[in-house]
Amino acid sequence: MTRRAFIAGNWKMNLDRRASLRLAAALAEGLAAEERCEIAVCPPFVYIDEVARALAGSKIRVGGQNLCDEPEGAFTGEISARMLRDVGAELVIVGHSERRHLYGESDELVSSKLRSALDEGLDAILCVGETLDERTAEQTESVIARQLTHGLAGVSDSELPRVTIAYEPVWAIGTGHNATPAQASEAHAYLRGVLSGLYDDSRAERVRIQYGGSVKPSNAAELLTAREVDGALVGGASLEPDSFLQIVRSR
Ligand code: PEP
């Protein structure tokens, strides 16, 4: 089956208010005629509200980069799924490797965050990926299967279409060293097999699996047309309108 490609920009902790709005305006204009791909941007929390307003009526969806797994209460510094919805976010990234590795997020916490997002009506991008040491030790499959299985624990058949998986090898994120199309295809096919086991073949077939890790205009065409690659989660190259637009157009 053909899955509609989904390309999302993760702005991480970059840009200021003015630059966020300038980027949003340039993308809205540049992608006004885009039909083939679904597009989203994930600004820092504090700019979501204004970016979502700036993109209202465009084809670009807005998401958060993280969320708290609790709905409300004494969780200083945290942002809930409901708050994200309240300021215009429609989706959220969970389990990004920077959250897992810099902030010690466990598979259980990632699963709990995904639960909160879905309960509150947000779609989600669930990130999985192995470190270089894990790949060298031939643990790629066991690591990404574990992250996927734990992450999706409790996600029902009817909720699954609201989840996109992002395969993001940690060694490729922000390093300039992307996975080869063959490496990405192999990991994606493996993840789809795990999804088939968790759900069934036809439900697994419909799940989009993005590749993330140093996607840029020069490698986007080969990565985005690789077998089993249904789009991309883009970090650094999503911060400039021209590079993000070139990536979208190379699909
Ligand atoms: C990311 O932030 O998820 C990412 C893949 O970053 P980059 O494209 O910069 O490697």
Side-chain angles (χ1 to χ4, degrees), residues 8 24 28 33 38 63 74 87 119 127 131 139 142 168 180 183-184 196 207 210 215 218 248:
E38 181 179 330
V87 293
D119 283 348
C127 302
T131 64
Q139 293 166 352
S142 63
E168 298 210 302
T180 63
Q183 285 172 323
S196 289
V207 176
Q210 298 172 321
V215 175
S218 58
V248 172

Side-chain angles (χ1 to χ4, degrees), residues 140-170:
T140 297
E141 292 188 351
S142 63
V143 169
I144 61 179
R146 189 200 73 227
Q147 292 172 335
L148 187 67
T149 305
H150 283 265
L152 291 174
V155 174
S156 67
D157 291 356
S158 64
E159 289 170 326
L160 187 63
R162 294 170 50 206
V163 182
T164 297
I165 308 302
Y167 169 61
E168 298 210 302
V170 180

Side-chain angles (χ1 to χ4, degrees), residues 85-117:
R85 286 264 299 183
D86 199 27
V87 293
E90 295 179 19
L91 64 133
V92 65
I93 299 171
V94 294
H96 190 279
S97 77
E98 285 150 21
R99 301 300 317 172
R100 293 180 188 267
H101 295 286
L102 299 178
Y103 298 96
E105 291 193 5
S106 65
D107 290 328
E108 287 66 32
L109 180 59
V110 172
S111 168
S112 179
K113 289 185 175 201
L114 180 54
R115 177 77 269 137
S116 295

Side-chain angles (χ1 to χ4, degrees), residues 130 135 140 167 169 171 178-189 211:
E130 81 288 357
R135 175 164 280 265
T140 297
Y167 169 61
W171 46 272
N178 57 285
T180 63
Q183 285 172 323
S185 292
E186 190 181 12
H188 288 213
Y211 166 76

Side-chain angles (χ1 to χ4, degrees), residues 3-7 124-128 144 148 152 160 163-169 184-196 203-212 223-224 226-233 251:
R3 294 172 291 268
R4 188 166 179 237
F6 179 20
I7 300 180
I125 298 174
L126 169 63
C127 302
V128 301
I144 61 179
L148 187 67
L152 291 174
L160 187 63
V163 182
T164 297
I165 308 302
Y167 169 61
E168 298 210 302
S185 292
E186 190 181 12
H188 288 213
Y190 176 75
L191 288 166
R192 199 170 300 287
V194 175
L195 287 168
S196 289
R203 287 189 172 85
E205 264 303 297
R206 280 181 235 134
V207 176
R208 290 177 298 185
I209 307 180
Q210 298 172 321
Y211 166 76
L223 284 165
L224 289 171
R227 191 176 52 84
E228 291 289 344
V229 175
D230 306 315
L233 182 54
R251 166 79 190 190

Side-chain angles (χ1 to χ4, degrees), residues 195-249:
L195 287 168
S196 289
L198 294 173
Y199 296 90
D200 61 33
D201 289 352
S202 79
R203 287 189 172 85
E205 264 303 297
R206 280 181 235 134
V207 176
R208 290 177 298 185
I209 307 180
Q210 298 172 321
Y211 166 76
S214 297
V215 175
K216 45 196 175 217
S218 58
N219 61 21
E222 58 171 14
L223 284 165
L224 289 171
T225 54
R227 191 176 52 84
E228 291 289 344
V229 175
D230 306 315
L233 182 54
V234 184
S238 71
L239 299 174
E240 288 289 337
D242 285 353
S243 56
F244 193 65
L245 291 171
Q246 280 182 54
I247 289 169
V248 172
R249 288 172 188 147

